[in-house]
Amino acid sequence: MFEPFSLPFVQRGLWEVLLLSGGAGVLGVWIVLRGLAFYAHGVAAATFPGLVLAAGLGFAGPLGALAVALVFALTVGRLAARDDAGDHSTLTAMVLVGALAAGVLLASDVFPRATNVTSLLFGSLLVISERDLVIAGCVSVAVVGLSVLAGPRWLAVGYDRPGSRTLGGRAGGPDALLLLLVALVAVATLSAVGSLLAAAVMVIPAATARPWIRRVRTWQVVTVALSALQGVGGLWLSAQTNAPPGATIAVLAGGVFALSVLLRAVHDRRRRGVRPRPTTLTPAVRGGAR
C-alpha cells in the first residue's frame, strides 16, 4: 500500500511537501487573516514572464520567477502604502494583468521557442532536486522566524491600520515585509505544485482550519499539520492513480475545505437549534378572530 514511498524520487517529493508545509502553513494564516488570498494567487501566477525569460535566456527558472515576484510584491506594496484602506485585491488585479500580458508577449514574440514552462506552471513534485529541498527549508525557517518577530505588527495593522501607527513606524513597513514573504513562499512552491496551484498550499489549508479555531498560534499549528497531511495524502494518491501530484494535492485540499465548511454549517445549525414559530397571535389577528 505504501510501496511508492520506498522510491527515492517519491521520498524527495515527500520531504518537499513536509518542508513547505511549515512556511506555507504559518504564512497561510496571515494570508487568510489579512485578506491576501487573491494576492497570494496573483504573485504566484505573475511569475510567468520570469519563467519565460529564464527558459529563453537559459538560466534557472526559479531565479526568473523570484525576480518577477519581488518586483510584483514591491509594486503592490508601494501602491497599497498610499491607500489608507490598504486594499490589495484591486491593486493585485491591475498589476497581475500587466505581468501576464508581458509574459504572453515574451512567449509569442521575443522567445517563441521558450514556452516549455509547464513544469513550473503546474508543478513537478516527482522530479524534486536537492536545490528545491534547500530552498523550501530555508524559506520555511525564514517565514517562521519573521512571523514570531513581526506577527504582532501584522495583526495590529490588519485590525486597525490607522491605530497601528501608535506602535511606532508606518503601516507600509510590516505590509511590505508580509507581501515579500508571500512572494518568497510562492516561488518556493513552484517546483511542487506550480505557480497556478500555489493557493492549494498557501491558502486552502489555513482557510479550512479557520472556522474551528480562535487563537492565531493554534490556528498556525493546525494549518501546518493539515498542509503536511494533505501534501502526503495527495502525493500518495498521485502515485496510486498516476495523476499529476500538484493537481491531486489541490483537489484533495479543495475537497477537505468543502467538507470543513459543510460540517461547520451543520454544527452551527445544531447549536442554534430550530427556532419554533411564535404561537402568540398578533393584535390584528386576535381582533379578526373575534
Side-chain angles (χ1 to χ4, degrees), residues 9-49:
F9 60 91
V10 177
Q11 291 176 359
R12 285 195 295 271
L14 178 62
W15 278 110
E16 177 75 359
V17 297
L18 292 177
L19 289 172
L20 282 176
S21 64
V26 170
L27 190 63
V29 170
W30 295 114
I31 291 173
V32 174
L33 192 61
R34 293 292 308 276
L36 295 174
F38 181 59
Y39 168 79
H41 170 73
V43 71
T47 59
F48 177 61

PDB file of all heavy atoms in Angstrom, residues 9-49:
ATOM      1  N   PHE A   9      12.634   9.140  -5.675  1.00  0.00           N
ATOM      2  CA  PHE A   9      12.042  10.391  -6.166  1.00  0.00           C
ATOM      3  C   PHE A   9      10.747  10.721  -5.430  1.00  0.00           C
ATOM      4  O   PHE A   9      10.409  11.893  -5.240  1.00  0.00           O
ATOM      5  CB  PHE A   9      11.809  10.328  -7.681  1.00  0.00           C
ATOM      6  CG  PHE A   9      10.892   9.230  -8.137  1.00  0.00           C
ATOM      7  CD1 PHE A   9       9.531   9.450  -8.254  1.00  0.00           C
ATOM      8  CD2 PHE A   9      11.403   7.981  -8.472  1.00  0.00           C
ATOM      9  CE1 PHE A   9       8.688   8.446  -8.697  1.00  0.00           C
ATOM     10  CE2 PHE A   9      10.570   6.968  -8.917  1.00  0.00           C
ATOM     11  CZ  PHE A   9       9.202   7.190  -9.023  1.00  0.00           C
ATOM     12  N   VAL A  10      10.028   9.701  -4.980  1.00  0.00           N
ATOM     13  CA  VAL A  10       8.833   9.957  -4.177  1.00  0.00           C
ATOM     14  C   VAL A  10       9.225  10.444  -2.785  1.00  0.00           C
ATOM     15  O   VAL A  10       8.571  11.314  -2.208  1.00  0.00           O
ATOM     16  CB  VAL A  10       7.961   8.686  -4.091  1.00  0.00           C
ATOM     17  CG1 VAL A  10       6.746   8.923  -3.192  1.00  0.00           C
ATOM     18  CG2 VAL A  10       7.509   8.255  -5.473  1.00  0.00           C
ATOM     19  N   GLN A  11      10.299   9.921  -2.243  1.00  0.00           N
ATOM     20  CA  GLN A  11      10.784  10.368  -0.942  1.00  0.00           C
ATOM     21  C   GLN A  11      11.205  11.837  -0.991  1.00  0.00           C
ATOM     22  O   GLN A  11      10.946  12.591  -0.050  1.00  0.00           O
ATOM     23  CB  GLN A  11      11.943   9.493  -0.486  1.00  0.00           C
ATOM     24  CG  GLN A  11      11.543   8.064  -0.138  1.00  0.00           C
ATOM     25  CD  GLN A  11      12.728   7.199   0.211  1.00  0.00           C
ATOM     26  OE1 GLN A  11      13.878   7.635   0.182  1.00  0.00           O
ATOM     27  NE2 GLN A  11      12.467   5.925   0.529  1.00  0.00           N
ATOM     28  N   ARG A  12      11.841  12.250  -2.084  1.00  0.00           N
ATOM     29  CA  ARG A  12      12.208  13.664  -2.210  1.00  0.00           C
ATOM     30  C   ARG A  12      10.961  14.541  -2.298  1.00  0.00           C
ATOM     31  O   ARG A  12      10.912  15.621  -1.712  1.00  0.00           O
ATOM     32  CB  ARG A  12      13.093  13.863  -3.438  1.00  0.00           C
ATOM     33  CG  ARG A  12      14.524  13.384  -3.253  1.00  0.00           C
ATOM     34  CD  ARG A  12      15.429  13.930  -4.344  1.00  0.00           C
ATOM     35  NE  ARG A  12      15.047  13.412  -5.657  1.00  0.00           N
ATOM     36  CZ  ARG A  12      15.522  12.291  -6.164  1.00  0.00           C
ATOM     37  NH1 ARG A  12      16.401  11.562  -5.481  1.00  0.00           N
ATOM     38  NH2 ARG A  12      15.146  11.881  -7.357  1.00  0.00           N
ATOM     39  N   GLY A  13       9.951  14.055  -3.018  1.00  0.00           N
ATOM     40  CA  GLY A  13       8.693  14.789  -3.058  1.00  0.00           C
ATOM     41  C   GLY A  13       8.034  14.867  -1.695  1.00  0.00           C
ATOM     42  O   GLY A  13       7.450  15.892  -1.333  1.00  0.00           O
ATOM     43  N   LEU A  14       8.147  13.790  -0.918  1.00  0.00           N
ATOM     44  CA  LEU A  14       7.597  13.783   0.432  1.00  0.00           C
ATOM     45  C   LEU A  14       8.290  14.812   1.312  1.00  0.00           C
ATOM     46  O   LEU A  14       7.637  15.574   2.047  1.00  0.00           O
ATOM     47  CB  LEU A  14       7.748  12.386   1.033  1.00  0.00           C
ATOM     48  CG  LEU A  14       7.261  12.183   2.466  1.00  0.00           C
ATOM     49  CD1 LEU A  14       5.771  12.435   2.563  1.00  0.00           C
ATOM     50  CD2 LEU A  14       7.609  10.776   2.960  1.00  0.00           C
ATOM     51  N   TRP A  15       9.618  14.852   1.251  1.00  0.00           N
ATOM     52  CA  TRP A  15      10.355  15.851   2.022  1.00  0.00           C
ATOM     53  C   TRP A  15       9.998  17.271   1.581  1.00  0.00           C
ATOM     54  O   TRP A  15       9.938  18.197   2.400  1.00  0.00           O
ATOM     55  CB  TRP A  15      11.860  15.614   1.897  1.00  0.00           C
ATOM     56  CG  TRP A  15      12.380  14.567   2.821  1.00  0.00           C
ATOM     57  CD1 TRP A  15      12.849  13.328   2.512  1.00  0.00           C
ATOM     58  CD2 TRP A  15      12.491  14.688   4.250  1.00  0.00           C
ATOM     59  NE1 TRP A  15      13.226  12.653   3.642  1.00  0.00           N
ATOM     60  CE2 TRP A  15      13.026  13.472   4.723  1.00  0.00           C
ATOM     61  CE3 TRP A  15      12.181  15.696   5.166  1.00  0.00           C
ATOM     62  CZ2 TRP A  15      13.263  13.241   6.079  1.00  0.00           C
ATOM     63  CZ3 TRP A  15      12.418  15.473   6.519  1.00  0.00           C
ATOM     64  CH2 TRP A  15      12.942  14.263   6.957  1.00  0.00           C
ATOM     65  N   GLU A  16       9.772  17.442   0.302  1.00  0.00           N
ATOM     66  CA  GLU A  16       9.429  18.770  -0.207  1.00  0.00           C
ATOM     67  C   GLU A  16       8.112  19.272   0.391  1.00  0.00           C
ATOM     68  O   GLU A  16       8.024  20.418   0.858  1.00  0.00           O
ATOM     69  CB  GLU A  16       9.327  18.733  -1.733  1.00  0.00           C
ATOM     70  CG  GLU A  16       8.903  20.040  -2.376  1.00  0.00           C
ATOM     71  CD  GLU A  16       9.996  21.086  -2.417  1.00  0.00           C
ATOM     72  OE1 GLU A  16      11.115  20.803  -1.916  1.00  0.00           O
ATOM     73  OE2 GLU A  16       9.752  22.182  -2.944  1.00  0.00           O
ATOM     74  N   VAL A  17       7.081  18.437   0.390  1.00  0.00           N
ATOM     75  CA  VAL A  17       5.794  18.877   0.922  1.00  0.00           C
ATOM     76  C   VAL A  17       5.870  19.091   2.431  1.00  0.00           C
ATOM     77  O   VAL A  17       5.202  19.986   2.979  1.00  0.00           O
ATOM     78  CB  VAL A  17       4.672  17.885   0.565  1.00  0.00           C
ATOM     79  CG1 VAL A  17       4.478  17.814  -0.932  1.00  0.00           C
ATOM     80  CG2 VAL A  17       4.935  16.496   1.125  1.00  0.00           C
ATOM     81  N   LEU A  18       6.673  18.296   3.135  1.00  0.00           N
ATOM     82  CA  LEU A  18       6.808  18.473   4.574  1.00  0.00           C
ATOM     83  C   LEU A  18       7.549  19.768   4.907  1.00  0.00           C
ATOM     84  O   LEU A  18       7.172  20.491   5.834  1.00  0.00           O
ATOM     85  CB  LEU A  18       7.538  17.277   5.185  1.00  0.00           C
ATOM     86  CG  LEU A  18       6.787  15.942   5.164  1.00  0.00           C
ATOM     87  CD1 LEU A  18       7.655  14.825   5.739  1.00  0.00           C
ATOM     88  CD2 LEU A  18       5.473  16.044   5.928  1.00  0.00           C
ATOM     89  N   LEU A  19       8.596  20.060   4.145  1.00  0.00           N
ATOM     90  CA  LEU A  19       9.333  21.300   4.378  1.00  0.00           C
ATOM     91  C   LEU A  19       8.493  22.519   4.016  1.00  0.00           C
ATOM     92  O   LEU A  19       8.500  23.526   4.732  1.00  0.00           O
ATOM     93  CB  LEU A  19      10.633  21.294   3.570  1.00  0.00           C
ATOM     94  CG  LEU A  19      11.720  20.324   4.046  1.00  0.00           C
ATOM     95  CD1 LEU A  19      12.866  20.291   3.050  1.00  0.00           C
ATOM     96  CD2 LEU A  19      12.230  20.727   5.437  1.00  0.00           C
ATOM     97  N   LEU A  20       7.773  22.441   2.925  1.00  0.00           N
ATOM     98  CA  LEU A  20       6.935  23.573   2.516  1.00  0.00           C
ATOM     99  C   LEU A  20       5.787  23.817   3.477  1.00  0.00           C
ATOM    100  O   LEU A  20       5.356  24.960   3.664  1.00  0.00           O
ATOM    101  CB  LEU A  20       6.372  23.330   1.112  1.00  0.00           C
ATOM    102  CG  LEU A  20       7.296  23.568  -0.078  1.00  0.00           C
ATOM    103  CD1 LEU A  20       6.598  23.188  -1.367  1.00  0.00           C
ATOM    104  CD2 LEU A  20       7.752  25.014  -0.123  1.00  0.00           C
ATOM    105  N   SER A  21       5.268  22.758   4.082  1.00  0.00           N
ATOM    106  CA  SER A  21       4.102  22.909   4.960  1.00  0.00           C
ATOM    107  C   SER A  21       4.401  23.810   6.148  1.00  0.00           C
ATOM    108  O   SER A  21       3.494  24.489   6.646  1.00  0.00           O
ATOM    109  CB  SER A  21       3.626  21.535   5.445  1.00  0.00           C
ATOM    110  OG  SER A  21       4.618  20.904   6.242  1.00  0.00           O
ATOM    111  N   GLY A  22       5.651  23.835   6.612  1.00  0.00           N
ATOM    112  CA  GLY A  22       5.985  24.694   7.745  1.00  0.00           C
ATOM    113  C   GLY A  22       5.822  26.164   7.405  1.00  0.00           C
ATOM    114  O   GLY A  22       5.047  26.891   8.052  1.00  0.00           O
ATOM    115  N   GLY A  23       6.523  26.625   6.371  1.00  0.00           N
ATOM    116  CA  GLY A  23       6.421  28.036   5.999  1.00  0.00           C
ATOM    117  C   GLY A  23       5.080  28.398   5.421  1.00  0.00           C
ATOM    118  O   GLY A  23       4.486  29.429   5.772  1.00  0.00           O
ATOM    119  N   ALA A  24       4.555  27.563   4.523  1.00  0.00           N
ATOM    120  CA  ALA A  24       3.272  27.860   3.889  1.00  0.00           C
ATOM    121  C   ALA A  24       2.131  27.826   4.901  1.00  0.00           C
ATOM    122  O   ALA A  24       1.187  28.619   4.813  1.00  0.00           O
ATOM    123  CB  ALA A  24       3.004  26.863   2.765  1.00  0.00           C
ATOM    124  N   GLY A  25       2.204  26.913   5.880  1.00  0.00           N
ATOM    125  CA  GLY A  25       1.148  26.840   6.888  1.00  0.00           C
ATOM    126  C   GLY A  25       1.121  28.049   7.794  1.00  0.00           C
ATOM    127  O   GLY A  25       0.063  28.642   8.045  1.00  0.00           O
ATOM    128  N   VAL A  26       2.295  28.444   8.285  1.00  0.00           N
ATOM    129  CA  VAL A  26       2.369  29.622   9.167  1.00  0.00           C
ATOM    130  C   VAL A  26       1.971  30.878   8.414  1.00  0.00           C
ATOM    131  O   VAL A  26       1.178  31.702   8.894  1.00  0.00           O
ATOM    132  CB  VAL A  26       3.792  29.754   9.748  1.00  0.00           C
ATOM    133  CG1 VAL A  26       3.955  31.088  10.467  1.00  0.00           C
ATOM    134  CG2 VAL A  26       4.088  28.605  10.700  1.00  0.00           C
ATOM    135  N   LEU A  27       2.515  31.049   7.216  1.00  0.00           N
ATOM    136  CA  LEU A  27       2.205  32.253   6.444  1.00  0.00           C
ATOM    137  C   LEU A  27       0.771  32.236   5.944  1.00  0.00           C
ATOM    138  O   LEU A  27       0.151  33.300   5.810  1.00  0.00           O
ATOM    139  CB  LEU A  27       3.172  32.358   5.263  1.00  0.00           C
ATOM    140  CG  LEU A  27       3.153  33.678   4.500  1.00  0.00           C
ATOM    141  CD1 LEU A  27       3.587  34.828   5.404  1.00  0.00           C
ATOM    142  CD2 LEU A  27       4.046  33.612   3.276  1.00  0.00           C
ATOM    143  N   GLY A  28       0.232  31.037   5.678  1.00  0.00           N
ATOM    144  CA  GLY A  28      -1.140  30.952   5.198  1.00  0.00           C
ATOM    145  C   GLY A  28      -2.145  31.548   6.173  1.00  0.00           C
ATOM    146  O   GLY A  28      -3.148  32.137   5.761  1.00  0.00           O
ATOM    147  N   VAL A  29      -1.878  31.418   7.458  1.00  0.00           N
ATOM    148  CA  VAL A  29      -2.762  32.014   8.457  1.00  0.00           C
ATOM    149  C   VAL A  29      -2.788  33.533   8.310  1.00  0.00           C
ATOM    150  O   VAL A  29      -3.850  34.161   8.343  1.00  0.00           O
ATOM    151  CB  VAL A  29      -2.310  31.611   9.870  1.00  0.00           C
ATOM    152  CG1 VAL A  29      -3.052  32.413  10.933  1.00  0.00           C
ATOM    153  CG2 VAL A  29      -2.536  30.121  10.086  1.00  0.00           C
ATOM    154  N   TRP A  30      -1.608  34.130   8.126  1.00  0.00           N
ATOM    155  CA  TRP A  30      -1.561  35.588   7.949  1.00  0.00           C
ATOM    156  C   TRP A  30      -2.201  35.995   6.626  1.00  0.00           C
ATOM    157  O   TRP A  30      -2.829  37.057   6.536  1.00  0.00           O
ATOM    158  CB  TRP A  30      -0.116  36.075   8.013  1.00  0.00           C
ATOM    159  CG  TRP A  30       0.514  35.880   9.346  1.00  0.00           C
ATOM    160  CD1 TRP A  30       1.548  35.048   9.668  1.00  0.00           C
ATOM    161  CD2 TRP A  30       0.137  36.527  10.569  1.00  0.00           C
ATOM    162  NE1 TRP A  30       1.838  35.128  11.007  1.00  0.00           N
ATOM    163  CE2 TRP A  30       0.987  36.035  11.578  1.00  0.00           C
ATOM    164  CE3 TRP A  30      -0.832  37.467  10.898  1.00  0.00           C
ATOM    165  CZ2 TRP A  30       0.896  36.461  12.901  1.00  0.00           C
ATOM    166  CZ3 TRP A  30      -0.928  37.889  12.219  1.00  0.00           C
ATOM    167  CH2 TRP A  30      -0.071  37.386  13.207  1.00  0.00           C
ATOM    168  N   ILE A  31      -2.057  35.162   5.601  1.00  0.00           N
ATOM    169  CA  ILE A  31      -2.673  35.469   4.311  1.00  0.00           C
ATOM    170  C   ILE A  31      -4.191  35.523   4.439  1.00  0.00           C
ATOM    171  O   ILE A  31      -4.840  36.456   3.965  1.00  0.00           O
ATOM    172  CB  ILE A  31      -2.249  34.420   3.261  1.00  0.00           C
ATOM    173  CG1 ILE A  31      -0.768  34.567   2.920  1.00  0.00           C
ATOM    174  CG2 ILE A  31      -3.096  34.551   1.997  1.00  0.00           C
ATOM    175  CD1 ILE A  31      -0.231  33.463   2.027  1.00  0.00           C
ATOM    176  N   VAL A  32      -4.764  34.521   5.094  1.00  0.00           N
ATOM    177  CA  VAL A  32      -6.221  34.480   5.259  1.00  0.00           C
ATOM    178  C   VAL A  32      -6.684  35.568   6.225  1.00  0.00           C
ATOM    179  O   VAL A  32      -7.688  36.248   5.972  1.00  0.00           O
ATOM    180  CB  VAL A  32      -6.656  33.086   5.760  1.00  0.00           C
ATOM    181  CG1 VAL A  32      -8.145  33.070   6.071  1.00  0.00           C
ATOM    182  CG2 VAL A  32      -6.321  32.028   4.713  1.00  0.00           C
ATOM    183  N   LEU A  33      -5.944  35.757   7.303  1.00  0.00           N
ATOM    184  CA  LEU A  33      -6.336  36.742   8.310  1.00  0.00           C
ATOM    185  C   LEU A  33      -6.304  38.155   7.755  1.00  0.00           C
ATOM    186  O   LEU A  33      -7.145  38.988   8.098  1.00  0.00           O
ATOM    187  CB  LEU A  33      -5.406  36.635   9.522  1.00  0.00           C
ATOM    188  CG  LEU A  33      -5.815  37.387  10.784  1.00  0.00           C
ATOM    189  CD1 LEU A  33      -7.153  36.868  11.305  1.00  0.00           C
ATOM    190  CD2 LEU A  33      -4.746  37.235  11.860  1.00  0.00           C
ATOM    191  N   ARG A  34      -5.344  38.439   6.889  1.00  0.00           N
ATOM    192  CA  ARG A  34      -5.198  39.778   6.318  1.00  0.00           C
ATOM    193  C   ARG A  34      -5.917  39.946   4.978  1.00  0.00           C
ATOM    194  O   ARG A  34      -5.794  40.991   4.340  1.00  0.00           O
ATOM    195  CB  ARG A  34      -3.712  40.092   6.147  1.00  0.00           C
ATOM    196  CG  ARG A  34      -2.936  40.237   7.441  1.00  0.00           C
ATOM    197  CD  ARG A  34      -3.372  41.489   8.209  1.00  0.00           C
ATOM    198  NE  ARG A  34      -3.310  42.646   7.350  1.00  0.00           N
ATOM    199  CZ  ARG A  34      -2.203  43.346   7.121  1.00  0.00           C
ATOM    200  NH1 ARG A  34      -1.068  43.005   7.717  1.00  0.00           N
ATOM    201  NH2 ARG A  34      -2.232  44.397   6.330  1.00  0.00           N
ATOM    202  N   GLY A  35      -6.636  38.922   4.523  1.00  0.00           N
ATOM    203  CA  GLY A  35      -7.370  39.042   3.281  1.00  0.00           C
ATOM    204  C   GLY A  35      -6.475  39.116   2.051  1.00  0.00           C
ATOM    205  O   GLY A  35      -6.784  39.841   1.103  1.00  0.00           O
ATOM    206  N   LEU A  36      -5.393  38.339   2.047  1.00  0.00           N
ATOM    207  CA  LEU A  36      -4.424  38.385   0.956  1.00  0.00           C
ATOM    208  C   LEU A  36      -4.473  37.138   0.076  1.00  0.00           C
ATOM    209  O   LEU A  36      -3.490  36.838  -0.609  1.00  0.00           O
ATOM    210  CB  LEU A  36      -3.005  38.550   1.524  1.00  0.00           C
ATOM    211  CG  LEU A  36      -2.713  39.855   2.263  1.00  0.00           C
ATOM    212  CD1 LEU A  36      -1.319  39.809   2.881  1.00  0.00           C
ATOM    213  CD2 LEU A  36      -2.838  41.048   1.318  1.00  0.00           C
ATOM    214  N   ALA A  37      -5.585  36.431   0.095  1.00  0.00           N
ATOM    215  CA  ALA A  37      -5.676  35.188  -0.676  1.00  0.00           C
ATOM    216  C   ALA A  37      -5.508  35.455  -2.169  1.00  0.00           C
ATOM    217  O   ALA A  37      -4.787  34.740  -2.865  1.00  0.00           O
ATOM    218  CB  ALA A  37      -7.007  34.497  -0.403  1.00  0.00           C
ATOM    219  N   PHE A  38      -6.161  36.487  -2.677  1.00  0.00           N
ATOM    220  CA  PHE A  38      -6.035  36.782  -4.102  1.00  0.00           C
ATOM    221  C   PHE A  38      -4.626  37.270  -4.431  1.00  0.00           C
ATOM    222  O   PHE A  38      -4.083  36.950  -5.500  1.00  0.00           O
ATOM    223  CB  PHE A  38      -7.060  37.829  -4.526  1.00  0.00           C
ATOM    224  CG  PHE A  38      -6.996  38.169  -5.994  1.00  0.00           C
ATOM    225  CD1 PHE A  38      -7.185  37.188  -6.953  1.00  0.00           C
ATOM    226  CD2 PHE A  38      -6.735  39.462  -6.409  1.00  0.00           C
ATOM    227  CE1 PHE A  38      -7.116  37.490  -8.311  1.00  0.00           C
ATOM    228  CE2 PHE A  38      -6.666  39.779  -7.754  1.00  0.00           C
ATOM    229  CZ  PHE A  38      -6.860  38.791  -8.713  1.00  0.00           C
ATOM    230  N   TYR A  39      -4.036  38.027  -3.527  1.00  0.00           N
ATOM    231  CA  TYR A  39      -2.655  38.460  -3.756  1.00  0.00           C
ATOM    232  C   TYR A  39      -1.717  37.253  -3.811  1.00  0.00           C
ATOM    233  O   TYR A  39      -0.818  37.203  -4.660  1.00  0.00           O
ATOM    234  CB  TYR A  39      -2.204  39.417  -2.650  1.00  0.00           C
ATOM    235  CG  TYR A  39      -0.715  39.663  -2.677  1.00  0.00           C
ATOM    236  CD1 TYR A  39      -0.156  40.550  -3.589  1.00  0.00           C
ATOM    237  CD2 TYR A  39       0.146  38.978  -1.814  1.00  0.00           C
ATOM    238  CE1 TYR A  39       1.212  40.757  -3.634  1.00  0.00           C
ATOM    239  CE2 TYR A  39       1.515  39.185  -1.857  1.00  0.00           C
ATOM    240  CZ  TYR A  39       2.036  40.071  -2.771  1.00  0.00           C
ATOM    241  OH  TYR A  39       3.398  40.260  -2.826  1.00  0.00           O
ATOM    242  N   ALA A  40      -1.905  36.283  -2.917  1.00  0.00           N
ATOM    243  CA  ALA A  40      -1.053  35.090  -2.912  1.00  0.00           C
ATOM    244  C   ALA A  40      -1.158  34.339  -4.234  1.00  0.00           C
ATOM    245  O   ALA A  40      -0.158  33.872  -4.788  1.00  0.00           O
ATOM    246  CB  ALA A  40      -1.430  34.176  -1.749  1.00  0.00           C
ATOM    247  N   HIS A  41      -2.375  34.215  -4.749  1.00  0.00           N
ATOM    248  CA  HIS A  41      -2.541  33.577  -6.051  1.00  0.00           C
ATOM    249  C   HIS A  41      -1.937  34.438  -7.157  1.00  0.00           C
ATOM    250  O   HIS A  41      -1.276  33.933  -8.081  1.00  0.00           O
ATOM    251  CB  HIS A  41      -4.019  33.337  -6.340  1.00  0.00           C
ATOM    252  CG  HIS A  41      -4.306  32.912  -7.747  1.00  0.00           C
ATOM    253  ND1 HIS A  41      -4.006  31.655  -8.219  1.00  0.00           N
ATOM    254  CD2 HIS A  41      -4.843  33.600  -8.802  1.00  0.00           C
ATOM    255  CE1 HIS A  41      -4.345  31.563  -9.495  1.00  0.00           C
ATOM    256  NE2 HIS A  41      -4.852  32.724  -9.867  1.00  0.00           N
ATOM    257  N   GLY A  42      -2.130  35.752  -7.053  1.00  0.00           N
ATOM    258  CA  GLY A  42      -1.650  36.657  -8.085  1.00  0.00           C
ATOM    259  C   GLY A  42      -0.141  36.689  -8.198  1.00  0.00           C
ATOM    260  O   GLY A  42       0.408  36.668  -9.308  1.00  0.00           O
ATOM    261  N   VAL A  43       0.550  36.740  -7.063  1.00  0.00           N
ATOM    262  CA  VAL A  43       2.007  36.819  -7.112  1.00  0.00           C
ATOM    263  C   VAL A  43       2.599  35.529  -7.661  1.00  0.00           C
ATOM    264  O   VAL A  43       3.659  35.542  -8.320  1.00  0.00           O
ATOM    265  CB  VAL A  43       2.584  37.154  -5.717  1.00  0.00           C
ATOM    266  CG1 VAL A  43       2.451  35.980  -4.774  1.00  0.00           C
ATOM    267  CG2 VAL A  43       4.041  37.595  -5.820  1.00  0.00           C
ATOM    268  N   ALA A  44       1.951  34.414  -7.417  1.00  0.00           N
ATOM    269  CA  ALA A  44       2.431  33.152  -7.979  1.00  0.00           C
ATOM    270  C   ALA A  44       2.184  33.097  -9.487  1.00  0.00           C
ATOM    271  O   ALA A  44       3.066  32.695 -10.257  1.00  0.00           O
ATOM    272  CB  ALA A  44       1.743  31.971  -7.286  1.00  0.00           C
ATOM    273  N   ALA A  45       1.000  33.505  -9.922  1.00  0.00           N
ATOM    274  CA  ALA A  45       0.694  33.487 -11.350  1.00  0.00           C
ATOM    275  C   ALA A  45       1.519  34.509 -12.116  1.00  0.00           C
ATOM    276  O   ALA A  45       1.846  34.300 -13.291  1.00  0.00           O
ATOM    277  CB  ALA A  45      -0.797  33.756 -11.562  1.00  0.00           C
ATOM    278  N   ALA A  46       1.876  35.606 -11.457  1.00  0.00           N
ATOM    279  CA  ALA A  46       2.628  36.666 -12.122  1.00  0.00           C
ATOM    280  C   ALA A  46       4.070  36.278 -12.418  1.00  0.00           C
ATOM    281  O   ALA A  46       4.773  37.030 -13.103  1.00  0.00           O
ATOM    282  CB  ALA A  46       2.606  37.934 -11.271  1.00  0.00           C
ATOM    283  N   THR A  47       4.533  35.145 -11.911  1.00  0.00           N
ATOM    284  CA  THR A  47       5.904  34.713 -12.203  1.00  0.00           C
ATOM    285  C   THR A  47       6.055  34.202 -13.630  1.00  0.00           C
ATOM    286  O   THR A  47       7.172  33.887 -14.056  1.00  0.00           O
ATOM    287  CB  THR A  47       6.336  33.596 -11.237  1.00  0.00           C
ATOM    288  OG1 THR A  47       5.432  32.477 -11.361  1.00  0.00           O
ATOM    289  CG2 THR A  47       6.315  34.082  -9.793  1.00  0.00           C
ATOM    290  N   PHE A  48       4.958  34.135 -14.376  1.00  0.00           N
ATOM    291  CA  PHE A  48       5.001  33.605 -15.745  1.00  0.00           C
ATOM    292  C   PHE A  48       6.043  34.293 -16.627  1.00  0.00           C
ATOM    293  O   PHE A  48       6.834  33.615 -17.292  1.00  0.00           O
ATOM    294  CB  PHE A  48       3.610  33.690 -16.368  1.00  0.00           C
ATOM    295  CG  PHE A  48       3.556  33.248 -17.794  1.00  0.00           C
ATOM    296  CD1 PHE A  48       3.894  31.959 -18.154  1.00  0.00           C
ATOM    297  CD2 PHE A  48       3.164  34.129 -18.797  1.00  0.00           C
ATOM    298  CE1 PHE A  48       3.851  31.548 -19.480  1.00  0.00           C
ATOM    299  CE2 PHE A  48       3.126  33.730 -20.117  1.00  0.00           C
ATOM    300  CZ  PHE A  48       3.464  32.437 -20.457  1.00  0.00           C
ATOM    301  N   PRO A  49       6.096  35.635 -16.692  1.00  0.00           N
ATOM    302  CA  PRO A  49       7.131  36.249 -17.540  1.00  0.00           C
ATOM    303  C   PRO A  49       8.544  35.917 -17.084  1.00  0.00           C
ATOM    304  O   PRO A  49       9.449  35.787 -17.910  1.00  0.00           O
ATOM    305  CB  PRO A  49       6.844  37.754 -17.433  1.00  0.00           C
ATOM    306  CG  PRO A  49       6.019  37.906 -16.221  1.00  0.00           C
ATOM    307  CD  PRO A  49       5.219  36.652 -16.105  1.00  0.00           C
TER     308      PRO A  49
END
